[in-house]
Amino acid sequence: MSNDFSSLVHWILFLPLVAAAFSALFLRRAGAFAAWFSTATAFTIAGLSLQLLLQSTGDVTWHVELAKLGEISLGFGYLIDANARLMLFVVSFVAAWIHLFSVGYMQDDAARGRFFAGLSIFMFSILGIVVADNLLMTFIFWELVGFSSYMLIAHYFDKDFAAAASKKAFITNRIGDLGFILGIALCLHLYGTLDFVALKAAAGPAVPVAVGALLMCGFLGKSAQFPLHVWLTDAMAGPTPVSALIHAATMVAAGVYFMARVSFLLAPEVLSWMAISGAGMAALAGLCALAQTDIKKSLAYSTLAHLGIMGCALGLGHPELAVLHMAMHAFFKATLFLGAGSVIHGCHHEQDMLKMGGLLKKMPLTAATFIAATLSNCAVPFFAGWYSKDAIIEAAWHGHHHAVFAFLAIAALATCLYSGRMIRLVFLGEANSEAAEHAHESPWTMTLPITVLGLVFAVGAGFAAHYLIPASSLQVVDAALTSLHFSFTAPSTIIGLLALVFGFGGALKFYGTTRGADALQVVSPRAYALLERRWMDGLYRWWIDGPQRRIAEFIAFLDLLLINGVAVRWIAGGATAALGHLTGRTFHRGQTRGYALWIVIGSLLLAWYLLAR
Amino acid sequence: MDTFSTLNASLLVTAIFLPILIGLILLAGRILPSSWVSGLAFLGFALPAAVVLWFLLPASGPLDAILRLRVDGPWLFKLGLNGVSTPLFAMTAVVGLAAGLKALIQEVEGRATYLGLILFMFGGTLAVFATDNIIGFYFFHEFALIPTFILTLFWGGEGRRSAAMQMAIYLTVGAMLSLGGILIAMDAAALSWDDATFGALFQGLLAAKDPLPAATGALTLFGLGTLASLFPFHSWAAPGYSAAPTPVSMLHAGALKKFGLYGIVMVAAASMQIGQGTLGQWFFWCALANLLIVGFICIAQRDLKQLLSWSSVAHMGPIFLGLWVGTAKGEAAGIDAAIFLMVAHGLSCAALFLLANAVRTRTGTYRFEELGGLAARTPVLAAFFVAATMASIGLPGFGNFWGEVGVFLSLRAEPLWVQALVASTIVVSAIYALRAVAAVFFGPASKHIEERAVHAPFGDLGFTERLAAGLLLAASLTIGFIPSLVTQCTNADARGIAAAAVRSATPKAPAAPVIPAATPKATTPAPSAR
Amino acid sequence: MENTTLAHHLLLAGLLFALGLTGVLVRRNLLVVYMCLELMLTAATLALVAFSRFNRTMDGAIFVFFIITVAAAEVAVGLALIVALYRRRGSVKSDELVTLRD
């Protein structure tokens, strides 16, 4: 049986690569054909993944050694366990519908061919992370996902901010990857293997903190956790389907998936950091979402918050809950982003929420799916999001992690607040601009995906998971699903209902009070400014423009001066030439800094001489 | 199989000497009509690549047979490939073809002489990788190097006089140092010119008295290291590559630099204890400086060709560190990864120089502040350039990834701060490389480019340029997807060299000398480990 | 904090001095260079005070007053010079004040 399914996995993994190569080489001009070709490929992969999910039992494995460097074996293989099956299906299913959406959304774009080739490469990369059976292979596809993200964010490359955003995303991810590769080297050093199954066997109960901490760096970069979260909001510069697919549903969740896979390598200190940092991020990002007027940026902060919740679940020691939330989140967040895309498309590329309004009547289908997904976001009982989010809050309460529980409660409230705000500003009330006045519903290629994802999955995925999928395929989440039941006295339910009533309802009312301007900004501009300011970004900016640039220029200056200038002249013309150059050209360049440098060097030499005597 | 060996051997000899012969013809025959010149030059550039392609096919015989090809003769003509040199030979053939294609479409004065000199460079480099004799190695290395000075001086760009002068002096002094080391070592091993193979040198030095191997090691390491732009002898590289004509930069940074490293691997690594003791310490810190200090210098660059020149110096850092850990700690993966990175870097570096020159011929400048938004006008160039950039910063899928990651993994037993500093190259190289891409290709079109588009309109990459760049990138992708193509050649030799390096450092044991699996002797077949 | 030794104080002074020195060498704005010079001066002062305390004499502490006075005077003169320079040249960036070459 294992063999049959491994060939299925070959198809799933390599079909998008072939599609990407074909698109890149031959279809760059034939935009429409490339679009439908890519979409067909994506649906095929989704079908194959569904087949894998429903039919395979037990783990599917396959392995081949690519090469040997010295004594190190570089392997390529698959390990399809319960987590992987679920993730494969979620990723490919959501991606397929997003491909369909892009057909409509990118209709007027001249570079469609490049876009769909990029989506195919991304599919290849993310599926690679899901199926990988060893750390190095995961790292390979990790980097490839980073590259796909770079390429797709820079789709509108003639805009400066898109180019800058893509660069930022790639470099921030690479900083995470730095920690990741160090963790891989450490694993190889301590355990002599990089294979997940072998590592699990070799790693005892006491894994050094460094292993988990370093591997976590990759997670911090990819899933935009503190302190590497700064790239996600800028990544909204890419086309909306890219934001939906990559920066909401799949790539950012890859980090969570990986951490769940290597959860046996995470020491308790690492887990507590993840729990607190995740919960804190969830609360903070949720609040910051209130200060964004761009609909995509607001959703980006919402994604940051949910990633924080996933990180928190991992940190609480429940990787299965994190994986479950990742799956549910993929459905409703993709719907939200696609709905936002539909709204943006309908309002002729207007992204400012303050200029929207009254779209409930103009775009009823979009509005219905958006609201359904929002309710799932807010964890309304029995919607998809409720299953996972409430389970996590329950886990925090039962584990007596009080700080984490408090942060999660704030996060729940914030979620309802910004969701209510979004619904109020975009769909209810009166149109606030010409564009909103003349909004119209989007074509079927765009509304069908959001209907499927939104009304069907964002609402019913929890049900489906519980009742329709065979337990053995989903054993990872089965425990969570069977134990969760609706009870009025459970703390999570109390928090949830309070948040819904006061948060959601309150926001609906509050944000209707001002037209064309943000109510919070009107009432308390200082609070608004505080939430809007991007602290970490400022810090990174300062470092790059200040010390890093100065140090680089200083080192270049030193190299040129000392090694090139003095040393070479010495060799070329002997001591006299060197001295002549020194006194003539090097010393007297008229720059005070140079003089200061020579004073310092001279005094250091003098001090050394005096002290060494 | 015998017919095959003869066939393969003669193909090898032809591949090496035909470019040199055609170079001679072109130098001498200035009366040849221009189409003959182009045709002959193309033949000279393309034949080695065709021979390499033939060697790759299973029809040419098993890999072992190719690695054991030997051509006997006086010292100069003792030819043969080995595990380490075969991938480098193949890389040189590809880079040379790409450089040749570029040279053929350039409009220069004295074209025949220009092409002839480049063919000398090319043939000489191929010979360096295909020689089995140490003096032959030195001879061909100088043979390949001297044309570069002439080419840079007469056909170079801005600042060519001082750059050529600097290159000439630095590289000649380096070559003198390494010659000194080699001759002393040969004397200590009591070898004559004719039987001075790499293996014989190792045997001879095993019995030598103690400070001698380290002394010759220092001379050879720093002598050949100058050619490989080891810090602090790297200052010639950036001005040199910037001023040299593009095909020369491509061959120089891509292939010639690697034969300096090849020399270190074959001559110094196993026998001269370059990883041990004080010399080992110096080696380590210089290698680290290449990575860190030159990395920072790259961040400060504002000119595309300067950036590429400095970054090719910076990328030598991981290679040196891989060699260091292999010879100091016996970690064979370090040497394997270093060789892999040599091959991959040659390909990506050549591609980047080629494409950067494509930018220059179209826009007239290399400076970032004058460029911008080029991707809208030349999308194919932009695509190739992004691909080459991704290759050079070690994106998986391209060969550089395996080399870099291999070096990181080979350092796993070192303290964490060393590993962190070395691995930081992935962030630093991404910073300056992506900044270059964004500055040149992305964003709105700069004023300079808009003016240029009006007065001197330019088009996208032409067929030849696409072919050349495509060849290089395809080769990089091939070894990126199928790393065993390289490692099946290098693995056994790398392990042998690492083991030999560690053994040669231990106190002289009176045991019978064991031929290292690394370097097969001239007539006997290589033992074990295949 | 009964366990701070002389070494701690000297280390702090050394660090401050190094910071100041780095600033003098790296920064381009003359006023910032000036402030870093003052920082170096402060570091020396701190060292003096530390020595004074740990050797239980008053010499170091008295010297501090001298240093403060001299520093004040120097700052007055220096700032006046900088202002005059700015009035003449319109800039206080050392990059732009390069007429001292031959």
Side-chain angles (χ1 to χ4, degrees):
Chain A
M1 269 293 111
S2 236
N3 255 337
D4 274 346
F5 289 117
S6 65
S7 61
L8 195 61
V9 182
H10 287 315
W11 276 100
I12 293 179
L13 181 61
F14 287 105
L15 200 54
L17 180 63
V18 171
F22 189 69
S23 286
L25 291 173
F26 303 116
L27 296 180
R28 297 182 86 234
R29 299 291 156 78
F33 184 70
W36 286 107
F37 177 66
S38 264
T39 311
T41 314
F43 273 99
T44 314
I45 298 172
L48 293 174
S49 301
L50 184 61
Q51 182 186 1
L52 191 65
L53 180 66
L54 294 177
Q55 287 185 355
S56 70
T57 55
D59 292 353
V60 177
T61 55
W62 182 78
H63 190 90
V64 74
E65 182 183 83
L66 274 182
K68 251 175 121 76
L69 282 178
E71 303 290 338
I72 304 175
S73 165
L74 309 171
F76 182 91
Y78 309 137
L79 175 65
I80 316 284
D81 57 5
N83 272 342
R85 271 197 286 272
L86 178 64
M87 179 105 179
L88 264 182
F89 173 67
V90 169
V91 168
S92 52
F93 189 76
V94 172
W97 290 107
I98 295 183
H99 270 81
L100 182 59
F101 182 90
S102 312
V103 172
Y105 189 84
M106 303 293 284
Q107 206 164 25
D108 304 322
D109 194 310
R112 259 183 305 177
R114 175 163 45 95
F115 179 79
F116 280 99
L119 281 187
S120 296
I121 273 285
F122 172 77
M123 287 294 289
F124 171 66
S125 319
I126 188 81
L127 292 172
I129 295 183
V130 177
V131 305
D133 78 339
N134 64 66
L135 282 172
L136 190 59
M137 186 174 157
T138 309
F139 183 77
I140 292 175
F141 286 102
W142 202 263
E143 293 254 307
L144 282 176
V145 163
F147 165 69
S148 321
S149 169
Y150 168 79
M151 195 182 140
L152 288 167
I153 296 176
H155 182 75
Y156 302 124
F157 53 65
D158 49 347
K159 304 276 181 299
D160 260 330
F161 66 83
S166 65
K167 198 166 33 126
K168 185 180 196 172
F170 194 85
I171 293 177
T172 316
N173 264 288
R174 269 238 159 157
I175 298 178
D177 291 350
L178 173 57
F180 194 172
I181 192 72
L182 290 177
I184 294 179
L186 188 58
C187 277
L188 187 64
H189 182 58
L190 290 176
Y191 304 115
T193 174
L194 293 176
D195 187 77
F196 287 139
V197 174
L199 271 176
K200 191 157 187 173
V207 177
V209 176
V211 173
L214 286 172
L215 290 176
M216 188 181 72
C217 289
F219 165 65
L220 293 183
K222 193 65 63 186
S223 295
Q225 302 284 303
F226 179 84
L228 296 174
H229 58 282
V230 293
W231 63 272
L232 192 59
T233 33
D234 283 7
M236 298 299 123
T240 308
V242 168
S243 307
L245 180 60
I246 300 185
H247 304 124
T250 50
M251 179 175 111
V252 291
V256 177
Y257 171 78
F258 172 66
M259 285 280 107
R261 268 217 169 183
V262 295
S263 51
F264 54 88
L265 285 175
L266 305 175
E269 292 89 342
V270 175
L271 290 177
S272 2
W273 166 264
M274 279 170 72
I276 271 286
S277 144
M281 168 68 90
L284 194 61
L287 291 173
C288 287
L290 289 171
Q292 296 297 321
T293 52
D294 183 322
I295 187 171
K296 285 174 65 176
K297 291 228 166 97
S298 192
L299 286 175
Y301 274 105
S302 162
T303 308
L304 276 178
H306 279 278
L307 290 171
I309 295 178
M310 290 182 224
C312 180
L314 285 166
L316 291 173
H318 292 280
E320 70 282 359
L321 287 182
V323 172
L324 180 64
H325 190 60
M326 178 190 68
M328 302 297 143
H329 173 263
F331 290 124
F332 64 73
K333 196 43 69 67
T335 312
L336 285 175
F337 267 103
L338 293 184
S342 176
V343 162
I344 292 172
H345 186 86
C347 293
H348 301 288
H349 296 282
E350 176 58 67
Q351 292 190 224
D352 189 347
M353 285 196 280
L354 294 175
K355 299 214 175 70
M356 299 177 188
L359 292 178
L360 181 60
K361 296 180 220 83
K362 306 256 171 41
M363 306 175 71
L365 197 53
T366 306
T369 58
F370 198 94
I371 293 175
T374 306
L375 293 179
S376 195
N377 188 5
C378 297
V380 167
F382 296 111
F383 277 60
W386 174 73
Y387 280 94
S388 47
K389 194 161 164 189
D390 267 32
I392 297 174
I393 299 183
E394 283 290 320
W397 178 260
H398 288 302
H400 301 290
H401 300 103
H402 300 291
V404 170
F405 180 78
F407 278 129
L408 287 179
I410 299 177
L413 180 64
T415 310
C416 294
L417 280 173
Y418 69 68
S419 302
R421 172 178 183 258
M422 213 180 293
I423 301 288
R424 187 68 179 79
L425 286 176
V426 175
F427 291 107
L428 302 178
E430 299 294 318
N432 279 327
S433 69
E434 280 288 314
E437 276 286 334
H438 297 120
H440 55 85
E441 188 60 87
S442 305
W444 73 272
T445 47
M446 290 167 68
T447 52
L448 182 60
I450 51 179
T451 310
V452 170
L453 287 175
L455 291 179
V456 179
F457 278 84
V459 176
F463 271 142
H466 201 167
Y467 295 108
L468 297 179
I469 314 272
S472 56
S473 287
L474 280 183
Q475 69 232 51
V476 62
V477 298
D478 215 40
L481 291 173
T482 47
S483 65
L484 192 65
H485 48 272
F486 186 71
S487 141
F488 274 108
T489 53
S492 57
T493 321
I494 300 174
I495 302 276
L497 287 177
L498 280 176
L500 263 175
V501 169
F502 291 109
F504 196 79
L508 279 178
K509 200 156 175 309
F510 180 59
Y511 283 100
T513 53
T514 53
R515 266 194 72 176
D518 187 291
L520 183 64
Q521 192 172 31
V522 167
V523 164
S524 166
R526 280 227 312 257
Y528 188 84
L530 205 67
L531 287 176
E532 197 189 6
R533 173 99 183 263
R534 301 174 60 176
W535 302 91
M536 284 305 288
D537 249 313
L539 196 67
Y540 287 133
R541 206 65 312 226
W542 167 81
W543 165 259
I544 294 171
D545 287 339
Q548 179 180 283
R549 191 172 54 91
R550 299 254 173 82
I551 293 175
E553 285 173 9
F554 185 61
I555 293 181
F557 168 69
L558 269 186
D559 180 274
L560 208 59
L561 185 71
L562 290 177
I563 297 181
N564 202 9
V566 176
V568 172
R569 298 289 172 248
W570 187 291
I571 294 175
T576 40
L579 271 168
H581 181 87
L582 209 63
T583 49
R585 303 236 234 104
T586 320
F587 281 143
H588 295 287
R589 274 156 97 231
Q591 281 190 347
T592 12
R593 278 204 302 164
Y595 297 144
L597 179 65
W598 287 113
I599 294 176
V600 170
I601 293 179
S603 33
L604 280 177
L605 286 174
L606 188 62
W608 181 39
Y609 171 67
L610 290 175
L611 287 174
R613 265 208 309 179
Chain B
M1 280 296 124
D2 222 34
T3 40
F4 265 130
S5 322
T6 345
L7 174 64
N8 288 341
S10 33
L11 277 179
L12 184 66
V13 172
T14 325
I16 298 169
F17 289 105
L18 189 66
I20 299 182
L21 190 61
I22 296 186
L24 263 172
I25 297 177
L26 288 177
L27 280 184
R30 249 169 297 176
I31 43 162
L32 288 173
S34 133
S35 55
W36 278 51
V37 169
S38 301
L40 277 176
F42 179 73
L43 180 64
F45 285 121
L47 186 76
V51 171
V52 166
L53 199 59
W54 162 251
F55 283 154
L56 276 176
L57 297 174
S60 62
L63 180 65
D64 279 4
I66 297 182
L67 293 182
R68 277 184 256 148
L69 275 182
R70 286 291 170 271
V71 174
D72 248 330
W75 59 274
L76 190 58
F77 293 98
K78 263 195 167 42
L79 301 174
L81 294 173
N82 59 55
V84 176
S85 72
T86 311
L88 290 167
F89 184 89
M91 181 265 290
T92 310
V94 177
V95 170
L97 177 55
L101 286 172
K102 174 73 188 176
L104 282 169
I105 60 173
Q106 275 184 322
E107 293 172 4
V108 289
E109 286 186 20
R111 194 156 171 264
T113 323
Y114 179 68
L115 290 171
L117 284 172
I118 297 184
L119 279 167
F120 274 172
M121 264 178 86
F122 185 38
T125 314
L126 288 170
V128 169
F129 288 127
T131 180
D132 196 30
N133 179 293
I134 298 186
I135 297 293
F137 163 82
Y138 184 82
F139 175 85
F140 283 115
H141 137 264
E142 284 287 22
F143 185 83
L145 210 48
I146 291 177
T148 59
F149 310 145
I150 307 175
L151 282 164
T152 311
L153 188 59
F154 289 113
W155 283 277
E158 259 183 56
R160 60 180 179 271
R161 309 201 66 182
S162 65
M165 182 70 91
Q166 213 174 3
M167 254 198 341
I169 295 178
Y170 256 101
L171 294 180
T172 314
V173 170
M176 293 292 125
L177 282 178
S178 58
L179 182 64
I182 291 175
L183 288 176
I184 298 176
M186 279 175 56
D187 186 61
L191 295 171
S192 76
W193 281 25
D194 260 347
D195 56 20
T197 61
F198 301 117
L201 186 69
F202 174 77
Q203 290 306 104
L205 278 182
L206 262 187
K209 269 213 303 279
D210 223 355
L212 190 71
T216 52
L219 283 172
T220 317
L221 176 65
F222 287 105
L224 288 172
T226 310
L227 176 56
S229 65
L230 179 65
F231 188 92
F233 306 115
H234 61 284
S235 307
W236 61 272
Y241 297 147
S242 294
T246 302
V248 175
S249 313
M250 286 168 71
L251 266 174
H252 208 296
L256 269 72
K257 206 174 213 169
K258 309 306 184 300
F259 66 56
L261 290 161
Y262 174 71
I264 296 178
V265 171
M266 298 305 285
V267 177
S271 10
M272 297 183 184
Q273 301 172 20
I274 56 171
Q276 319 294 333
T278 334
L279 181 57
Q281 292 276 0
W282 278 98
F283 186 19
F284 171 74
W285 286 106
C286 288
L288 198 59
N290 247 64
L291 203 150
L292 289 176
I293 295 187
V294 182
F296 268 108
I297 296 181
C298 290
I299 295 185
Q301 295 304 315
R302 298 278 173 264
D303 172 297
L304 186 59
K305 199 156 187 196
Q306 293 265 15
L307 176 68
L308 290 178
S309 313
W310 279 112
S311 88
S312 75
V313 176
H315 280 124
M316 294 299 112
I319 299 180
F320 281 123
L321 283 164
L323 290 179
W324 172 78
V325 79
T327 54
K329 308 287 168 74
E331 177 67 59
I335 300 189
D336 233 340
I339 301 172
F340 206 109
L341 192 50
M342 281 186 226
V343 175
H345 174 264
L347 296 168
S348 68
C349 188
L352 280 172
F353 273 118
L354 177 67
L355 295 167
N357 186 258
V359 169
R360 167 75 159 77
T361 49
R362 283 160 179 76
T363 61
T365 176
Y366 281 120
R367 301 179 58 76
F368 290 155
E369 59 194 18
E370 292 171 12
L371 291 168
L374 202 51
R377 289 179 201 277
T378 57
V380 179
L381 173 58
F384 273 102
F385 197 93
V386 170
T389 304
M390 288 295 152
S392 83
I393 64 178
L395 189 74
F398 293 101
N400 306 56
F401 170 74
W402 294 115
E404 278 193 8
V405 166
V407 170
F408 298 155
L409 290 180
S410 69
L411 289 170
R412 64 190 181 281
E414 304 304 311
L416 189 61
W417 64 269
V418 170
Q419 294 185 54
L421 282 180
V422 175
S424 72
T425 183
I426 66 172
V427 176
V428 171
S429 60
I431 290 178
Y432 59 72
L434 289 186
R435 183 196 296 156
V437 167
V440 174
F441 290 102
F442 295 162
S446 72
K447 273 207 308 270
H448 176 94
I449 289 192
E450 282 182 359
E451 279 168 31
R452 191 88 180 179
V454 169
H455 300 307
F458 52 86
D460 212 336
L461 279 186
F463 172 73
T464 322
E465 290 171 308
R466 276 188 220 203
L467 183 62
L471 262 172
L472 293 166
L473 289 174
S476 190
L477 281 170
T478 311
I479 61 174
F481 274 87
I482 315 176
S484 58
L485 279 178
V486 174
T487 58
Q488 66 188 359
C489 300
T490 61
N491 194 268
D493 283 28
R495 284 203 240 192
I497 294 175
V502 171
R503 248 189 65 235
S504 74
T506 55
K508 309 290 181 220
V514 172
I515 302 175
T519 48
K521 297 198 77 150
T523 44
T524 54
S528 68
R530 286 257 189 242
Chain C
M1 292 270 269
E2 281 307 310
N3 295 338
T4 48
T5 61
L6 181 59
H8 287 111
H9 289 269
L10 288 184
L11 185 63
L12 179 61
L15 280 173
L16 280 176
F17 190 86
L19 275 175
L21 188 59
T22 318
V24 168
L25 291 177
V26 173
R27 299 300 294 259
R28 273 171 280 204
N29 190 317
L30 280 185
L31 285 167
V32 179
V33 167
Y34 218 68
M35 284 194 279
C36 293
L37 276 175
E38 289 304 306
L39 194 59
M40 288 161 71
L41 217 49
T42 312
T45 314
L46 181 63
L48 273 171
V49 171
F51 279 120
S52 174
R53 176 172 177 230
F54 283 96
N55 294 339
R56 302 182 195 289
T57 66
M58 288 305 287
D59 299 351
I62 299 294
F63 210 77
V64 169
F65 287 99
F66 281 97
I67 295 183
I68 293 177
T69 317
V70 169
E74 168 216 337
V75 164
V77 174
L79 283 179
L81 283 173
I82 293 181
V83 169
L85 190 64
Y86 180 74
R87 286 212 186 114
R88 279 282 228 140
R89 295 296 170 73
S91 160
V92 281
K93 293 214 170 232
S94 62
D95 283 0
E96 298 167 27
L97 304 165
V98 287
T99 51
L100 206 56
R101 56 184 308 158
D102 40 10

